[in-house]
């Protein structure tokens, strides 16, 4: 086999391949064997039809077509390896010459990973938020804990904000009660905003047995998006009672004996959260600066596939789970289709660029991923997806996504190297020393890398679990 490579542009090549006919013998034999198993000819046992008879009955052209289809993948792979290129996606193959008994020639155009030069990044400087837990932060945290242990008791008065009312609802559209427009015994906290727009105003001031009618746009159901006339009847008004902030509350709500101990622990937890947020912010801002340093040509076909994949995942997975259409989502976001398309394209470019750069660093620094690192990453991804580790692992394996996860971990390690070399200060001008814990460092770096790196994983195992037929472009 002879092959040559022609660079069409920084992200696309054309391979020209010529194969002497004798190198197709194995594929020709396989073609005759396959046709033998599929056809019957009177006077011959199945599978024992001579080649000359197959040529006479079904045509030599059918055999050649089968043989070429069998041989092309292997021949293409050999040409790729010989040319030492990194293909992206499927090639566009064109048979340029097929002479029976003499020669097979074909061309294959394919997108490739562009060559990337990464300059010195040790001069990157970023500023992040300072870690500071205010008294207001602490009070809010303790108050949220208090809310979790609140109790309710019925009262004989008009409902007010913060009360829990038990209500019956009836929705009509065009004067007709909807089949799914009746609900009874619904508990609702006034002011929470968890039900229909306008319900807070309707029930505020009503006592038990009181009714009100208001107009609202339905958020779901058979008449989603339509304006409905809603009648609400209050069957009970209950006041929420918060426990006293004392040592008894601390013992009830935590493992601590005193309120001071509970507050000290809450403050420490808030500090840890803010430190994690600070580390994540540092990763993201260092990544943004790194992206500015490196020129990366983007393969147009890969970009097109990535944009389509992102739209598909949003529309059929994320919005589908929320019961929203893309049109309704854009309406709620106040965006036009053109603005959404532009944003999606911008995000796709960033994702592909991030992946190319970090993959180049992985290769340059010879970074490897061991089994423990992969397992830890899988556990984190499973937790964020709401799936059990076993379910997530099964979806990953069935979707052939193990290389994707390995890539995520490796890119996280590459980004961690860049962050270590960068200068990070907080808004007070103080140098920030990020946590030395390797697991936490890897976790935050992986999260930041994934935020801009969905070219392959937008390639989500969760999406694969929902739609195993979906095929993602592999960058």
């Amino acid at each position: 086999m002879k092959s040559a490579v022609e660079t069409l542009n920084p992200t696309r090549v054309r391979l020209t391949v010529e194969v002497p006919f004798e190198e197709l013998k194995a594929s020709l034999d396989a073609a005759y064997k396959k046709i033998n198993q599929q056809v019957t000819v009177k006077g011959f046992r199945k599978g024992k039809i001579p080649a000359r008879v197959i040529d006479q009955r079904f045509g030599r052209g059918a055999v050649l077509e089968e043989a070429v289809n069998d041989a092309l993948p292997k021949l293409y792979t050999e040409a790729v390896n010989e040319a030492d290129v990194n293909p992206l996606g499927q090639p566009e193959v064109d048979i340029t010459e097929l002479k029976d008994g003499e020669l097979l020639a074909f061309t294959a155009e394919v997108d490739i990973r562009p060559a990337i030069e990464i300059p010195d990044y040790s001069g990157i400087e970023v500023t992040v938020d300072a870690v500071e837990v205010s008294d207001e932060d602490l009070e809010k945290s303790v108050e949220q804990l208090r809310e979790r242990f609140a109790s309710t008791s019925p009262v004989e008065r008009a409902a007010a904000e913060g009360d829990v009312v038990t209500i019956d609802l009836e929705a009509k559209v065009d004067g007709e009660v909807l089949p799914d427009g009746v609900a009874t015994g619904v508990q609702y906290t006034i002011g929470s905003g968890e039900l229909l727009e306008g319900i807070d105003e309707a029930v505020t001031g009503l006592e038990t047995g009181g009714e009100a009618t208001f107009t609202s746009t339905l958020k779901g159901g058979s008449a989603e998006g339509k304006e409905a006339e809603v009648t609400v009847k209050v069957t009970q008004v209950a006041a929420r009672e918060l426990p006293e902030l004392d040592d008894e509350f601390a013992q009830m709500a935590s493992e601590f004996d005193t309120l001071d101990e509970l507050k000290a622990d809450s403050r420490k937890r808030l500090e840890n959260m803010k430190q994690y947020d600070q580390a994540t912010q540092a990763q993201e801002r260092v990544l943004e600066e790194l992206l500015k340093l490196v020129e990366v040509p983007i393969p147009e076909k890969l970009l097109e596939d990535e944009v389509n994949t992102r739209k598909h995942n949003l529309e059929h997975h994320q919005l589908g789970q929320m019961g929203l259409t893309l049109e309704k989502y854009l309406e709620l976001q106040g965006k036009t289709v053109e603005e959404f398309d532009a944003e999606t394209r911008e995000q796709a470019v960033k994702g592909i660029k991030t992946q190319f750069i970090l993959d180049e660093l992985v290769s340059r620094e010879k970074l490897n991923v061991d089994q423990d690192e992969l397992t830890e990453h899988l556990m984190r991804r499973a937790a964020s997806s709401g799936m059990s580790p076993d379910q997530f692992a099964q979806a990953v394996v069935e979707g052939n996504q193990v290389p994707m996860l390995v890539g995520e971990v490796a890119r996280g390690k590459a980004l961690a190297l860049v962050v270590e070399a960068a200068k990070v200060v907080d808004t007070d001008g103080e140098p920030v020393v990020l946590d030395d814990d390797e697991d936490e460092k890897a976790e935050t770096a992986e999260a930041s890398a994934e935020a801009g790196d969905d070219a392959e994983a937008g390639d989500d195992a969760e999406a694969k679990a929902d739609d195993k037929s979906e095929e993602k472009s592999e960058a």
Side-chain angles (χ1 to χ4, degrees):
M1 183 186 84
K2 289 196 310 181
S3 67
V5 59
E6 175 188 358
T7 300
L8 303 178
N9 61 50
T11 64
R12 194 166 179 83
V13 297
R14 179 189 292 123
L15 299 168
T16 302
V17 183
E18 292 184 357
V19 186
F21 212 77
E22 55 267 23
E23 293 185 23
L24 295 177
K25 184 179 184 308
S27 293
L28 279 168
D29 291 343
Y32 280 116
K33 185 175 181 180
K34 182 176 180 180
I35 294 173
N36 242 307
Q37 299 301 320
Q38 294 175 338
V39 302
T40 58
V41 175
K42 189 175 181 180
F44 296 96
R45 287 182 295 162
K46 194 163 189 175
K48 300 296 183 180
I49 308 170
R52 59 179 175 76
V53 175
I54 290 178
D55 289 346
Q56 292 169 358
R57 291 293 186 93
F58 305 102
R60 175 71 168 174
V63 178
L64 290 177
E65 181 180 357
E66 184 65 42
V68 169
N69 288 339
D70 176 76
L72 274 179
K74 181 184 176 186
L75 295 171
Y76 166 71
T77 299
E78 289 178 3
V80 163
N81 292 336
E82 190 174 300
D84 193 24
V85 295
N86 295 309
L88 299 170
Q90 297 301 311
E92 295 179 7
V93 177
D94 182 26
I95 306 296
T96 56
E97 192 172 0
L98 178 57
K99 290 183 179 179
D100 193 359
E102 295 183 28
L103 180 73
L104 164 67
F106 67 92
T107 62
E109 288 191 18
V110 67
D111 286 334
I112 60 168
R113 282 180 178 272
I116 299 173
E117 290 294 329
I118 300 180
D120 179 18
Y121 48 77
S122 60
I124 290 177
E125 297 184 14
V126 298
T127 302
V128 295
D129 295 336
V131 172
E132 181 182 351
V133 178
S134 65
D135 291 341
E136 184 180 347
D137 292 333
L138 180 59
E139 287 177 13
K140 183 178 179 181
S141 176
V142 174
E143 194 63 24
Q144 288 173 342
L145 184 61
R146 242 181 123 196
E147 292 278 351
R148 288 170 50 192
F149 287 86
S151 59
T152 59
S153 58
V155 292
E156 296 297 328
R157 60 166 174 76
E161 184 170 353
D163 287 341
V164 178
V165 290
T166 304
I167 55 178
D168 296 338
L169 294 164
E170 181 182 84
K172 294 180 180 179
V173 173
D174 298 329
E176 297 290 330
V177 178
L178 297 171
D180 53 355
V182 177
T184 59
V186 177
Q187 287 197 328
Y188 175 67
T189 301
I190 301 176
S192 67
E194 294 175 352
L195 278 178
L196 297 169
E197 186 177 345
I199 194 168
D200 289 332
E201 294 81 358
V203 297
T204 298
L206 294 182
E207 297 184 11
T208 299
E211 285 189 19
T213 299
F214 63 100
T215 301
S216 183
T217 301
L218 299 179
K219 296 181 179 180
S222 61
E224 179 184 359
K226 292 185 177 180
E227 194 171 84
E229 182 182 84
V230 182
T231 300
V232 56
K233 179 179 180 180
V234 176
T235 59
Q236 185 185 77
V237 179
R240 299 179 76 250
E241 298 176 0
L242 298 176
E244 292 293 327
L245 277 179
D246 52 23
D247 292 346
E248 186 177 339
F249 167 70
Q251 294 163 17
M252 173 181 64
S254 71
E255 70 271 29
F256 301 105
D257 293 327
T258 68
L259 183 60
D260 287 342
E261 290 174 327
L262 171 62
K263 287 184 175 181
D265 180 72
S266 296
R267 184 178 289 276
K268 182 62 178 175
R269 288 175 185 272
L270 289 172
E271 286 177 354
N272 290 340
M273 289 172 58
K274 286 179 177 283
Q275 285 172 347
Y276 181 85
D277 290 343
Q278 185 188 63
T280 301
Q281 192 178 69
Q283 305 275 5
E284 292 171 350
R285 293 185 178 178
V286 167
L287 176 59
E288 291 288 346
E289 294 303 311
L290 178 63
L291 293 177
K292 294 175 184 177
L293 289 178
V294 189
E295 288 294 327
V296 181
I298 304 295
E300 193 59 38
K301 179 67 165 60
L302 178 64
L303 178 57
E304 180 185 336
D305 289 344
E306 178 61 16
V307 167
N308 290 335
T309 294
R310 286 171 181 264
K311 288 181 178 178
H312 177 86
N313 283 346
L314 174 67
E315 191 167 2
H316 296 281
H317 297 297
Q318 300 169 38
L319 297 183
Q321 292 174 357
M322 294 187 288
L324 291 175
T325 62
L326 180 59
E327 291 74 17
K328 185 64 178 177
Y329 168 75
L330 294 180
E331 181 184 328
L332 294 172
Q333 293 289 313
K335 295 178 183 176
T336 65
V337 172
E338 291 74 22
E339 289 171 335
F340 169 73
D341 286 344
E343 286 181 11
T344 303
R345 186 178 180 86
E346 182 181 343
Q347 292 163 0
V349 168
K350 181 182 177 183
I352 294 171
K353 188 174 180 179
T354 296
Q355 182 169 325
F356 283 170
I357 294 173
L358 295 182
D359 281 348
E360 178 64 25
L361 281 171
V362 168
S363 176
R364 192 172 85 175
E365 302 296 336
K366 295 180 172 58
L367 300 177
N368 296 313
V369 176
D370 61 36
Q371 186 60 49
D372 288 343
E373 291 170 329
L374 182 60
T375 300
E376 288 170 7
H377 181 63
L378 186 147
M379 299 285 280
R380 287 195 291 269
R381 286 291 302 270
S384 66
S385 72
M387 302 167 71
S388 73
D390 287 345
Q391 288 174 323
F392 188 82
Q394 182 179 356
V396 166
V397 172
E398 291 180 357
N400 297 319
Q401 296 296 294
V402 173
M404 175 201 78
L405 289 188
V406 173
E408 288 176 356
V409 179
R411 287 187 282 275
K413 294 175 74 170
L415 180 56
L417 286 179
V418 182
V419 174
E420 285 178 6
K423 179 182 178 182
V424 183
V425 298
D426 66 20
T427 48
D428 294 331
E430 295 295 323
V432 173
V433 179
L434 299 177
D435 199 307
D436 289 333
D437 183 274
E438 289 300 321
D439 290 341
E440 185 167 339
K441 188 188 298 179
E443 181 177 351
T444 52
E446 287 161 20
S448 296
E450 287 164 32
D453 168 24
D454 294 324
E456 193 170 21
D459 330 336
D460 253 346
E462 298 99 297
K464 286 284 183 182
D466 293 336
D467 183 5
K468 292 183 180 127
S469 64
E470 176 186 340
E471 289 188 7
K472 296 287 294 178
S473 59
E474 251 186 55

